[in-house]
Amino acid sequence: MKQLPLGDISLETFLRDYWQKKPLLIRNAIANFEPIISADELAGLACEEEVESRLIIQESADNHWAMKHGPLLDEDFANLPESHWTLLVQAVDHWHPQAQALLQQFDFIPQWRIDDLMVSYASQGGGVGPHYDNYDVFLLQATGSREWQYGGLYDEHSPRQENSELMLLADWTAEQTVTLNPGDLLYIPPKVGHCGTAISDDCTTYSIGFRAPSHADILHNFSDFVAQDLSTELRYQDPELAIQKHSACINPQAVDQIKQILKQYIETPGAIEQWFGCYMTEHKYAQQQQELYLDNSVDEIIEAMQQAEQICKIPGTRLAFQHTDTDQSDAMLLFVNGMCCQITRQQQAFVIQLTESDSVLATDLAEQPERLKLLANLIKIGAYEIN
Ligand code: SIN
Ligand code: CO
């Protein structure tokens, strides 16, 4: 059985007592833990145009937190102070296969809920200050030591410090203080205040962050999804219009008519199912997806695949599936980076295999024309690559 990074705590206990409820510290969560990225590699990533990064420097004179968004320049690194700075690089799993493999250790939470692996690198005293997040986070110490203070629930009404754009909490009082060393893991639920401070140089922390769309985003996105296929000729109608006393009155029949229109789209069989799968698998940086084989036919791709040793998931690719039949055996939808396709009964076990590993060996594809075709299509849309 797969070893979970939860120490002595069973998954049942974690989900029942901690997940989305209260923080949990797990000492030595990952056996024989080895860092996956060096400080130099991380700095290199932060200088790349397509990588999302931030450099935060705490200016001691006025306790001001200065933030610079990447791409960073060599001179940003050359001008760093001795201490009290931190570099944050988002979605390292998109650039680093080992980071992608590390994320898989957290797939005891559905993988479509996982957002990315952020890596922070801090000098002595560095950190991002007291704050809360609207999503769950696992904080894994990779190198050096960090003191974490945490506790208390905060929200959008909590007072903020005025001296930065970081939305730091004012009047921060921690309930717990712990020091994390390499391999230790701290789980922090949404809205719980936390503040990490590097207590050594070369302090690297990996944050496994989750996707928790806001209700506003859910509504916007679902409406866009439904509306894209609707004719503008479908209109509000009132053929039963009755005489009304006051012309300005919006009567209950009119409101009902609007509720019926909205209900009709929410209740369309399969609509929410399909939308939600597409939504939760949207690529974090959709504009960066590369469709290397877009101009090649499926047959040409299959020919190239037959020369390969393995076919690999491109880091950052998001997959999910959904059984669409009540007896859970017949129909299946596969969602890939915000797209959806119907899977035949014969292909279902293979699809599950795809979601649970990063690569497919050529030997798994020999004499399997259906598998080859499915993977060729996934290569065509930039989700897999030939290695
Ligand atoms: C950090 O790694 O420095 C900050 C991560 C967080 O607070 O979520
Ligand atoms: Co945080």
Side-chain angles (χ1 to χ4, degrees):
M1 223 174 74
K2 194 164 146 182
Q3 177 75 35
L4 300 183
L6 294 173
D8 295 341
I9 306 260
S10 71
L11 181 54
E12 288 75 11
T13 306
F14 176 72
L15 295 178
R16 187 190 63 218
D17 298 342
Y18 298 96
W19 175 249
Q20 300 234 303
K21 298 167 197 78
K22 60 181 183 193
L24 176 66
L25 171 65
I26 305 135
R27 294 276 177 212
N28 223 346
I30 297 192
N32 309 318
F33 175 76
E34 292 281 346
I36 54 175
I37 184 165
S38 70
D40 282 347
E41 280 177 287
L42 195 68
L45 276 181
C47 296
E48 300 284 341
E49 183 73 44
E50 59 275 26
V51 177
E52 192 185 338
S53 64
R54 286 165 291 163
L55 180 61
I56 295 171
I57 303 175
Q58 192 180 357
E59 288 150 359
S60 55
D62 54 358
N63 195 31
H64 177 258
W65 301 73
M67 170 154 71
K68 181 169 184 210
H69 288 277
L72 300 175
L73 306 169
D74 287 346
E75 65 221 49
D76 292 318
F77 291 104
N79 295 333
L80 282 173
E82 278 283 291
S83 66
H84 292 81
W85 58 265
T86 184
L87 167 69
L88 305 149
V89 180
Q90 216 66 51
V92 172
D93 51 299
H94 288 217
W95 312 104
H96 218 286
Q98 274 175 286
Q100 181 179 249
L102 180 64
L103 267 193
Q104 279 163 4
Q105 299 216 32
F106 292 84
D107 69 5
F108 53 90
I109 302 299
Q111 54 181 263
W112 48 267
R113 279 276 268 132
I114 298 175
D115 191 31
D116 73 338
L117 183 103
M118 179 187 85
V119 176
S120 74
Y121 180 87
S123 59
Q124 170 85 30
V128 303
H131 66 284
Y132 71 91
D133 300 302
N134 277 311
Y135 48 81
D136 312 79
V137 63
F138 285 98
L139 299 156
L140 174 64
Q141 193 59 26
T143 64
S145 306
R146 185 183 288 272
E147 181 183 272
W148 282 101
Q149 297 188 296
Y150 57 93
L153 287 175
Y154 296 82
D155 65 21
E156 58 198 322
H157 305 295
S158 306
R160 306 302 161 117
Q161 295 182 25
E162 279 166 12
N163 53 357
S164 87
E165 53 178 310
L166 291 176
M167 301 285 283
L168 299 181
L169 293 167
D171 315 321
W172 157 251
T173 330
E175 292 171 357
Q176 302 277 340
T177 301
V178 291
T179 297
L180 264 66
N181 295 309
D184 294 344
L185 183 69
L186 178 63
Y187 164 70
I188 302 281
K191 297 207 157 55
V192 172
H194 55 284
C195 177
T197 309
I199 54 170
S200 70
D201 275 329
D202 198 27
C203 168
T204 318
T205 304
Y206 302 161
S207 298
I208 294 91
F210 289 80
R211 273 192 187 186
S214 69
H215 288 194
D217 282 342
I218 290 171
L219 283 170
H220 284 307
N221 200 287
F222 177 65
S223 317
D224 286 349
F225 177 83
V226 172
Q228 69 190 351
D229 297 327
L230 295 182
S231 157
T232 51
E233 300 203 350
L234 280 167
R235 295 284 167 143
Y236 177 89
Q237 291 178 319
D238 45 9
E240 312 290 329
L241 188 64
I243 300 171
Q244 54 183 70
K245 198 167 161 199
H246 303 290
S247 186
C249 177
I250 297 174
N251 61 28
Q253 289 72 23
V255 175
D256 244 25
Q257 159 78 349
I258 288 296
K259 285 187 184 165
Q260 285 308 322
I261 292 174
L262 292 173
K263 216 163 140 204
Q264 168 191 343
Y265 295 116
I266 288 174
E267 291 180 353
T268 302
I272 297 211
E273 286 80 349
Q274 194 185 335
W275 160 74
F276 188 61
C278 293
Y279 183 50
M280 290 309 283
T281 58
E282 267 175 16
H283 197 277
K284 191 171 173 71
Y285 305 107
Q287 72 287 3
Q288 285 176 17
Q289 261 182 277
Q290 286 188 13
E291 295 173 346
L292 296 175
Y293 288 85
L294 200 59
D295 296 332
N296 294 87
S297 70
V298 167
D299 286 341
E300 284 168 342
I301 300 173
I302 291 179
E303 218 179 290
M305 286 164 76
Q306 281 165 330
Q307 322 294 323
E309 260 171 49
Q310 54 177 357
I311 313 296
C312 297
K313 203 180 277 175
I314 295 183
T317 289
R318 295 177 69 85
L319 298 181
F321 65 83
Q322 209 176 94
H323 294 288
T324 53
D325 262 9
T326 38
D327 65 1
Q328 300 232 328
S329 62
D330 244 343
M332 184 191 258
L333 290 177
L334 169 65
F335 302 98
V336 188
N337 294 338
M339 286 170 264
C340 169
C341 64
Q342 190 88 38
I343 297 300
T344 61
R345 183 196 279 260
Q346 294 78 352
Q347 289 306 304
Q348 296 188 4
F350 180 58
V351 162
I352 295 174
Q353 181 190 329
L354 290 182
T355 64
E356 292 178 356
S357 64
D358 287 334
S359 55
V360 186
L361 294 175
T363 44
D364 284 341
L365 299 169
E367 313 295 323
Q368 296 275 356
E370 286 293 312
R371 290 185 180 190
L372 281 165
K373 198 167 146 207
L374 175 65
L375 262 183
N377 278 298
L378 296 178
I379 291 170
K380 201 169 163 67
I381 60 169
Y384 277 75
E385 63 192 343
I386 299 172
N387 270 356

PDB file of all heavy atoms in Angstrom, residues 250-278:
ATOM      1  N   ILE A 250     -42.720  44.650 -11.006  1.00  0.00           N
ATOM      2  CA  ILE A 250     -42.227  43.340 -11.493  1.00  0.00           C
ATOM      3  C   ILE A 250     -42.951  42.303 -10.656  1.00  0.00           C
ATOM      4  O   ILE A 250     -42.666  42.139  -9.465  1.00  0.00           O
ATOM      5  CB  ILE A 250     -40.695  43.214 -11.312  1.00  0.00           C
ATOM      6  CG1 ILE A 250     -39.976  44.277 -12.148  1.00  0.00           C
ATOM      7  CG2 ILE A 250     -40.218  41.815 -11.680  1.00  0.00           C
ATOM      8  CD1 ILE A 250     -38.470  44.338 -11.935  1.00  0.00           C
ATOM      9  N   ASN A 251     -43.914  41.647 -11.242  1.00  0.00           N
ATOM     10  CA  ASN A 251     -44.753  40.769 -10.424  1.00  0.00           C
ATOM     11  C   ASN A 251     -44.137  39.369 -10.272  1.00  0.00           C
ATOM     12  O   ASN A 251     -43.181  39.011 -10.975  1.00  0.00           O
ATOM     13  CB  ASN A 251     -46.188  40.745 -10.993  1.00  0.00           C
ATOM     14  CG  ASN A 251     -46.200  40.203 -12.408  1.00  0.00           C
ATOM     15  OD1 ASN A 251     -45.346  39.416 -12.771  1.00  0.00           O
ATOM     16  ND2 ASN A 251     -47.157  40.638 -13.205  1.00  0.00           N
ATOM     17  N   PRO A 252     -44.660  38.570  -9.344  1.00  0.00           N
ATOM     18  CA  PRO A 252     -44.065  37.246  -9.073  1.00  0.00           C
ATOM     19  C   PRO A 252     -44.016  36.348 -10.307  1.00  0.00           C
ATOM     20  O   PRO A 252     -43.106  35.518 -10.429  1.00  0.00           O
ATOM     21  CB  PRO A 252     -45.006  36.646  -8.013  1.00  0.00           C
ATOM     22  CG  PRO A 252     -45.699  37.813  -7.394  1.00  0.00           C
ATOM     23  CD  PRO A 252     -45.797  38.874  -8.435  1.00  0.00           C
ATOM     24  N   GLN A 253     -44.935  36.512 -11.247  1.00  0.00           N
ATOM     25  CA  GLN A 253     -44.914  35.677 -12.461  1.00  0.00           C
ATOM     26  C   GLN A 253     -43.647  35.952 -13.276  1.00  0.00           C
ATOM     27  O   GLN A 253     -43.036  35.032 -13.834  1.00  0.00           O
ATOM     28  CB  GLN A 253     -46.140  35.939 -13.347  1.00  0.00           C
ATOM     29  CG  GLN A 253     -47.474  35.429 -12.819  1.00  0.00           C
ATOM     30  CD  GLN A 253     -48.015  36.231 -11.625  1.00  0.00           C
ATOM     31  OE1 GLN A 253     -47.642  37.404 -11.438  1.00  0.00           O
ATOM     32  NE2 GLN A 253     -48.866  35.614 -10.831  1.00  0.00           N
ATOM     33  N   ALA A 254     -43.252  37.217 -13.320  1.00  0.00           N
ATOM     34  CA  ALA A 254     -42.042  37.571 -14.084  1.00  0.00           C
ATOM     35  C   ALA A 254     -40.805  36.980 -13.409  1.00  0.00           C
ATOM     36  O   ALA A 254     -39.915  36.424 -14.070  1.00  0.00           O
ATOM     37  CB  ALA A 254     -41.917  39.088 -14.189  1.00  0.00           C
ATOM     38  N   VAL A 255     -40.776  37.082 -12.085  1.00  0.00           N
ATOM     39  CA  VAL A 255     -39.626  36.537 -11.349  1.00  0.00           C
ATOM     40  C   VAL A 255     -39.574  35.015 -11.534  1.00  0.00           C
ATOM     41  O   VAL A 255     -38.503  34.431 -11.747  1.00  0.00           O
ATOM     42  CB  VAL A 255     -39.711  36.933  -9.850  1.00  0.00           C
ATOM     43  CG1 VAL A 255     -38.603  36.270  -9.046  1.00  0.00           C
ATOM     44  CG2 VAL A 255     -39.649  38.447  -9.695  1.00  0.00           C
ATOM     45  N   ASP A 256     -40.730  34.387 -11.498  1.00  0.00           N
ATOM     46  CA  ASP A 256     -40.823  32.948 -11.692  1.00  0.00           C
ATOM     47  C   ASP A 256     -40.298  32.517 -13.059  1.00  0.00           C
ATOM     48  O   ASP A 256     -39.624  31.488 -13.194  1.00  0.00           O
ATOM     49  CB  ASP A 256     -42.296  32.527 -11.594  1.00  0.00           C
ATOM     50  CG  ASP A 256     -42.488  31.629 -10.411  1.00  0.00           C
ATOM     51  OD1 ASP A 256     -41.670  31.741  -9.469  1.00  0.00           O
ATOM     52  OD2 ASP A 256     -43.438  30.821 -10.454  1.00  0.00           O
ATOM     53  N   GLN A 257     -40.655  33.307 -14.038  1.00  0.00           N
ATOM     54  CA  GLN A 257     -40.224  33.021 -15.412  1.00  0.00           C
ATOM     55  C   GLN A 257     -38.696  33.005 -15.487  1.00  0.00           C
ATOM     56  O   GLN A 257     -38.083  32.120 -16.087  1.00  0.00           O
ATOM     57  CB  GLN A 257     -40.846  34.094 -16.327  1.00  0.00           C
ATOM     58  CG  GLN A 257     -40.183  34.299 -17.663  1.00  0.00           C
ATOM     59  CD  GLN A 257     -40.538  33.221 -18.673  1.00  0.00           C
ATOM     60  OE1 GLN A 257     -41.137  32.202 -18.318  1.00  0.00           O
ATOM     61  NE2 GLN A 257     -40.151  33.406 -19.902  1.00  0.00           N
ATOM     62  N   ILE A 258     -38.062  33.981 -14.797  1.00  0.00           N
ATOM     63  CA  ILE A 258     -36.591  34.047 -14.783  1.00  0.00           C
ATOM     64  C   ILE A 258     -36.019  32.843 -14.030  1.00  0.00           C
ATOM     65  O   ILE A 258     -35.048  32.214 -14.476  1.00  0.00           O
ATOM     66  CB  ILE A 258     -36.129  35.383 -14.140  1.00  0.00           C
ATOM     67  CG1 ILE A 258     -36.405  36.544 -15.092  1.00  0.00           C
ATOM     68  CG2 ILE A 258     -34.660  35.357 -13.737  1.00  0.00           C
ATOM     69  CD1 ILE A 258     -35.626  36.490 -16.406  1.00  0.00           C
ATOM     70  N   LYS A 259     -36.641  32.501 -12.906  1.00  0.00           N
ATOM     71  CA  LYS A 259     -36.152  31.335 -12.134  1.00  0.00           C
ATOM     72  C   LYS A 259     -36.223  30.073 -12.987  1.00  0.00           C
ATOM     73  O   LYS A 259     -35.328  29.225 -12.943  1.00  0.00           O
ATOM     74  CB  LYS A 259     -36.984  31.149 -10.862  1.00  0.00           C
ATOM     75  CG  LYS A 259     -36.654  32.164  -9.779  1.00  0.00           C
ATOM     76  CD  LYS A 259     -37.375  31.819  -8.486  1.00  0.00           C
ATOM     77  CE  LYS A 259     -37.141  32.872  -7.437  1.00  0.00           C
ATOM     78  NZ  LYS A 259     -38.077  32.778  -6.303  1.00  0.00           N
ATOM     79  N   GLN A 260     -37.309  29.954 -13.776  1.00  0.00           N
ATOM     80  CA  GLN A 260     -37.471  28.768 -14.629  1.00  0.00           C
ATOM     81  C   GLN A 260     -36.362  28.694 -15.681  1.00  0.00           C
ATOM     82  O   GLN A 260     -35.833  27.628 -15.974  1.00  0.00           O
ATOM     83  CB  GLN A 260     -38.841  28.786 -15.348  1.00  0.00           C
ATOM     84  CG  GLN A 260     -40.016  28.439 -14.454  1.00  0.00           C
ATOM     85  CD  GLN A 260     -39.795  27.135 -13.692  1.00  0.00           C
ATOM     86  OE1 GLN A 260     -39.248  26.176 -14.204  1.00  0.00           O
ATOM     87  NE2 GLN A 260     -40.205  27.130 -12.425  1.00  0.00           N
ATOM     88  N   ILE A 261     -36.032  29.862 -16.242  1.00  0.00           N
ATOM     89  CA  ILE A 261     -34.962  29.885 -17.269  1.00  0.00           C
ATOM     90  C   ILE A 261     -33.656  29.387 -16.630  1.00  0.00           C
ATOM     91  O   ILE A 261     -32.972  28.515 -17.179  1.00  0.00           O
ATOM     92  CB  ILE A 261     -34.790  31.308 -17.856  1.00  0.00           C
ATOM     93  CG1 ILE A 261     -36.028  31.685 -18.667  1.00  0.00           C
ATOM     94  CG2 ILE A 261     -33.526  31.405 -18.709  1.00  0.00           C
ATOM     95  CD1 ILE A 261     -36.045  33.118 -19.183  1.00  0.00           C
ATOM     96  N   LEU A 262     -33.319  29.924 -15.458  1.00  0.00           N
ATOM     97  CA  LEU A 262     -32.061  29.530 -14.814  1.00  0.00           C
ATOM     98  C   LEU A 262     -32.080  28.040 -14.442  1.00  0.00           C
ATOM     99  O   LEU A 262     -31.110  27.313 -14.692  1.00  0.00           O
ATOM    100  CB  LEU A 262     -31.812  30.390 -13.575  1.00  0.00           C
ATOM    101  CG  LEU A 262     -31.515  31.862 -13.876  1.00  0.00           C
ATOM    102  CD1 LEU A 262     -31.452  32.679 -12.599  1.00  0.00           C
ATOM    103  CD2 LEU A 262     -30.190  31.994 -14.636  1.00  0.00           C
ATOM    104  N   LYS A 263     -33.196  27.605 -13.878  1.00  0.00           N
ATOM    105  CA  LYS A 263     -33.340  26.215 -13.445  1.00  0.00           C
ATOM    106  C   LYS A 263     -33.159  25.242 -14.617  1.00  0.00           C
ATOM    107  O   LYS A 263     -32.506  24.208 -14.490  1.00  0.00           O
ATOM    108  CB  LYS A 263     -34.738  26.040 -12.849  1.00  0.00           C
ATOM    109  CG  LYS A 263     -34.784  25.104 -11.701  1.00  0.00           C
ATOM    110  CD  LYS A 263     -36.061  25.280 -10.921  1.00  0.00           C
ATOM    111  CE  LYS A 263     -36.520  23.884 -10.540  1.00  0.00           C
ATOM    112  NZ  LYS A 263     -37.919  23.796 -10.281  1.00  0.00           N
ATOM    113  N   GLN A 264     -33.732  25.635 -15.749  1.00  0.00           N
ATOM    114  CA  GLN A 264     -33.663  24.782 -16.943  1.00  0.00           C
ATOM    115  C   GLN A 264     -32.205  24.441 -17.293  1.00  0.00           C
ATOM    116  O   GLN A 264     -31.877  23.320 -17.647  1.00  0.00           O
ATOM    117  CB  GLN A 264     -34.347  25.560 -18.075  1.00  0.00           C
ATOM    118  CG  GLN A 264     -34.167  25.019 -19.442  1.00  0.00           C
ATOM    119  CD  GLN A 264     -34.681  26.043 -20.486  1.00  0.00           C
ATOM    120  OE1 GLN A 264     -35.430  26.967 -20.168  1.00  0.00           O
ATOM    121  NE2 GLN A 264     -34.256  25.865 -21.710  1.00  0.00           N
ATOM    122  N   TYR A 265     -31.321  25.461 -17.175  1.00  0.00           N
ATOM    123  CA  TYR A 265     -29.921  25.205 -17.543  1.00  0.00           C
ATOM    124  C   TYR A 265     -29.189  24.425 -16.464  1.00  0.00           C
ATOM    125  O   TYR A 265     -28.352  23.573 -16.766  1.00  0.00           O
ATOM    126  CB  TYR A 265     -29.220  26.520 -17.889  1.00  0.00           C
ATOM    127  CG  TYR A 265     -29.848  27.112 -19.128  1.00  0.00           C
ATOM    128  CD1 TYR A 265     -30.520  28.328 -19.077  1.00  0.00           C
ATOM    129  CD2 TYR A 265     -29.845  26.406 -20.329  1.00  0.00           C
ATOM    130  CE1 TYR A 265     -31.148  28.839 -20.207  1.00  0.00           C
ATOM    131  CE2 TYR A 265     -30.475  26.900 -21.453  1.00  0.00           C
ATOM    132  CZ  TYR A 265     -31.125  28.117 -21.390  1.00  0.00           C
ATOM    133  OH  TYR A 265     -31.748  28.591 -22.504  1.00  0.00           O
ATOM    134  N   ILE A 266     -29.512  24.715 -15.215  1.00  0.00           N
ATOM    135  CA  ILE A 266     -28.850  23.977 -14.122  1.00  0.00           C
ATOM    136  C   ILE A 266     -29.276  22.519 -14.154  1.00  0.00           C
ATOM    137  O   ILE A 266     -28.493  21.614 -13.869  1.00  0.00           O
ATOM    138  CB  ILE A 266     -29.197  24.628 -12.762  1.00  0.00           C
ATOM    139  CG1 ILE A 266     -28.452  25.950 -12.654  1.00  0.00           C
ATOM    140  CG2 ILE A 266     -28.833  23.726 -11.591  1.00  0.00           C
ATOM    141  CD1 ILE A 266     -28.791  26.773 -11.459  1.00  0.00           C
ATOM    142  N   GLU A 267     -30.530  22.287 -14.539  1.00  0.00           N
ATOM    143  CA  GLU A 267     -31.056  20.915 -14.493  1.00  0.00           C
ATOM    144  C   GLU A 267     -30.902  20.150 -15.805  1.00  0.00           C
ATOM    145  O   GLU A 267     -31.335  19.004 -15.900  1.00  0.00           O
ATOM    146  CB  GLU A 267     -32.523  20.947 -14.044  1.00  0.00           C
ATOM    147  CG  GLU A 267     -32.601  21.361 -12.580  1.00  0.00           C
ATOM    148  CD  GLU A 267     -34.013  21.418 -12.022  1.00  0.00           C
ATOM    149  OE1 GLU A 267     -34.959  21.261 -12.813  1.00  0.00           O
ATOM    150  OE2 GLU A 267     -34.138  21.631 -10.813  1.00  0.00           O
ATOM    151  N   THR A 268     -30.295  20.760 -16.810  1.00  0.00           N
ATOM    152  CA  THR A 268     -30.076  20.008 -18.059  1.00  0.00           C
ATOM    153  C   THR A 268     -29.223  18.782 -17.733  1.00  0.00           C
ATOM    154  O   THR A 268     -28.119  18.921 -17.179  1.00  0.00           O
ATOM    155  CB  THR A 268     -29.323  20.883 -19.095  1.00  0.00           C
ATOM    156  OG1 THR A 268     -30.091  22.039 -19.324  1.00  0.00           O
ATOM    157  CG2 THR A 268     -29.085  20.134 -20.397  1.00  0.00           C
ATOM    158  N   PRO A 269     -29.715  17.570 -18.060  1.00  0.00           N
ATOM    159  CA  PRO A 269     -28.944  16.368 -17.684  1.00  0.00           C
ATOM    160  C   PRO A 269     -27.494  16.442 -18.183  1.00  0.00           C
ATOM    161  O   PRO A 269     -27.250  16.751 -19.346  1.00  0.00           O
ATOM    162  CB  PRO A 269     -29.724  15.226 -18.355  1.00  0.00           C
ATOM    163  CG  PRO A 269     -31.114  15.764 -18.512  1.00  0.00           C
ATOM    164  CD  PRO A 269     -30.968  17.243 -18.758  1.00  0.00           C
ATOM    165  N   GLY A 270     -26.575  16.211 -17.289  1.00  0.00           N
ATOM    166  CA  GLY A 270     -25.153  16.159 -17.650  1.00  0.00           C
ATOM    167  C   GLY A 270     -24.454  17.513 -17.718  1.00  0.00           C
ATOM    168  O   GLY A 270     -23.229  17.569 -17.811  1.00  0.00           O
ATOM    169  N   ALA A 271     -25.210  18.606 -17.647  1.00  0.00           N
ATOM    170  CA  ALA A 271     -24.567  19.920 -17.862  1.00  0.00           C
ATOM    171  C   ALA A 271     -23.555  20.232 -16.759  1.00  0.00           C
ATOM    172  O   ALA A 271     -22.400  20.555 -17.033  1.00  0.00           O
ATOM    173  CB  ALA A 271     -25.621  21.024 -17.944  1.00  0.00           C
ATOM    174  N   ILE A 272     -23.995  20.114 -15.510  1.00  0.00           N
ATOM    175  CA  ILE A 272     -23.073  20.458 -14.412  1.00  0.00           C
ATOM    176  C   ILE A 272     -21.926  19.459 -14.376  1.00  0.00           C
ATOM    177  O   ILE A 272     -20.772  19.838 -14.165  1.00  0.00           O
ATOM    178  CB  ILE A 272     -23.833  20.505 -13.067  1.00  0.00           C
ATOM    179  CG1 ILE A 272     -24.864  21.637 -13.176  1.00  0.00           C
ATOM    180  CG2 ILE A 272     -22.874  20.676 -11.895  1.00  0.00           C
ATOM    181  CD1 ILE A 272     -25.215  22.359 -11.934  1.00  0.00           C
ATOM    182  N   GLU A 273     -22.258  18.200 -14.626  1.00  0.00           N
ATOM    183  CA  GLU A 273     -21.215  17.165 -14.605  1.00  0.00           C
ATOM    184  C   GLU A 273     -20.101  17.521 -15.591  1.00  0.00           C
ATOM    185  O   GLU A 273     -18.920  17.528 -15.260  1.00  0.00           O
ATOM    186  CB  GLU A 273     -21.796  15.792 -14.994  1.00  0.00           C
ATOM    187  CG  GLU A 273     -22.645  15.126 -13.943  1.00  0.00           C
ATOM    188  CD  GLU A 273     -24.086  15.645 -13.871  1.00  0.00           C
ATOM    189  OE1 GLU A 273     -24.402  16.687 -14.497  1.00  0.00           O
ATOM    190  OE2 GLU A 273     -24.891  15.019 -13.163  1.00  0.00           O
ATOM    191  N   GLN A 274     -20.512  17.824 -16.823  1.00  0.00           N
ATOM    192  CA  GLN A 274     -19.517  18.098 -17.858  1.00  0.00           C
ATOM    193  C   GLN A 274     -18.762  19.399 -17.569  1.00  0.00           C
ATOM    194  O   GLN A 274     -17.535  19.457 -17.644  1.00  0.00           O
ATOM    195  CB  GLN A 274     -20.202  18.180 -19.218  1.00  0.00           C
ATOM    196  CG  GLN A 274     -19.184  18.113 -20.334  1.00  0.00           C
ATOM    197  CD  GLN A 274     -19.800  18.313 -21.683  1.00  0.00           C
ATOM    198  OE1 GLN A 274     -20.981  18.059 -21.885  1.00  0.00           O
ATOM    199  NE2 GLN A 274     -19.007  18.780 -22.622  1.00  0.00           N
ATOM    200  N   TRP A 275     -19.516  20.414 -17.190  1.00  0.00           N
ATOM    201  CA  TRP A 275     -18.863  21.704 -16.906  1.00  0.00           C
ATOM    202  C   TRP A 275     -17.852  21.561 -15.782  1.00  0.00           C
ATOM    203  O   TRP A 275     -16.727  22.037 -15.880  1.00  0.00           O
ATOM    204  CB  TRP A 275     -19.911  22.768 -16.535  1.00  0.00           C
ATOM    205  CG  TRP A 275     -19.263  23.888 -15.804  1.00  0.00           C
ATOM    206  CD1 TRP A 275     -18.465  24.863 -16.352  1.00  0.00           C
ATOM    207  CD2 TRP A 275     -19.247  24.103 -14.392  1.00  0.00           C
ATOM    208  NE1 TRP A 275     -17.974  25.673 -15.360  1.00  0.00           N
ATOM    209  CE2 TRP A 275     -18.435  25.220 -14.148  1.00  0.00           C
ATOM    210  CE3 TRP A 275     -19.849  23.444 -13.312  1.00  0.00           C
ATOM    211  CZ2 TRP A 275     -18.211  25.722 -12.868  1.00  0.00           C
ATOM    212  CZ3 TRP A 275     -19.617  23.933 -12.031  1.00  0.00           C
ATOM    213  CH2 TRP A 275     -18.813  25.055 -11.816  1.00  0.00           C
ATOM    214  N   PHE A 276     -18.254  20.880 -14.693  1.00  0.00           N
ATOM    215  CA  PHE A 276     -17.385  20.838 -13.518  1.00  0.00           C
ATOM    216  C   PHE A 276     -16.072  20.100 -13.807  1.00  0.00           C
ATOM    217  O   PHE A 276     -15.000  20.525 -13.376  1.00  0.00           O
ATOM    218  CB  PHE A 276     -18.127  20.196 -12.336  1.00  0.00           C
ATOM    219  CG  PHE A 276     -17.363  20.294 -11.053  1.00  0.00           C
ATOM    220  CD1 PHE A 276     -17.051  21.541 -10.518  1.00  0.00           C
ATOM    221  CD2 PHE A 276     -16.931  19.159 -10.379  1.00  0.00           C
ATOM    222  CE1 PHE A 276     -16.328  21.651  -9.337  1.00  0.00           C
ATOM    223  CE2 PHE A 276     -16.204  19.261  -9.198  1.00  0.00           C
ATOM    224  CZ  PHE A 276     -15.906  20.508  -8.676  1.00  0.00           C
ATOM    225  N   GLY A 277     -16.167  19.015 -14.566  1.00  0.00           N
ATOM    226  CA  GLY A 277     -14.954  18.275 -14.927  1.00  0.00           C
ATOM    227  C   GLY A 277     -14.017  19.145 -15.758  1.00  0.00           C
ATOM    228  O   GLY A 277     -12.802  19.168 -15.547  1.00  0.00           O
ATOM    229  N   CYS A 278     -14.612  19.868 -16.709  1.00  0.00           N
ATOM    230  CA  CYS A 278     -13.786  20.761 -17.542  1.00  0.00           C
ATOM    231  C   CYS A 278     -13.165  21.855 -16.679  1.00  0.00           C
ATOM    232  O   CYS A 278     -11.969  22.153 -16.768  1.00  0.00           O
ATOM    233  CB  CYS A 278     -14.631  21.411 -18.644  1.00  0.00           C
ATOM    234  SG  CYS A 278     -15.236  20.231 -19.863  1.00  0.00           S
TER     235      CYS A 278
END
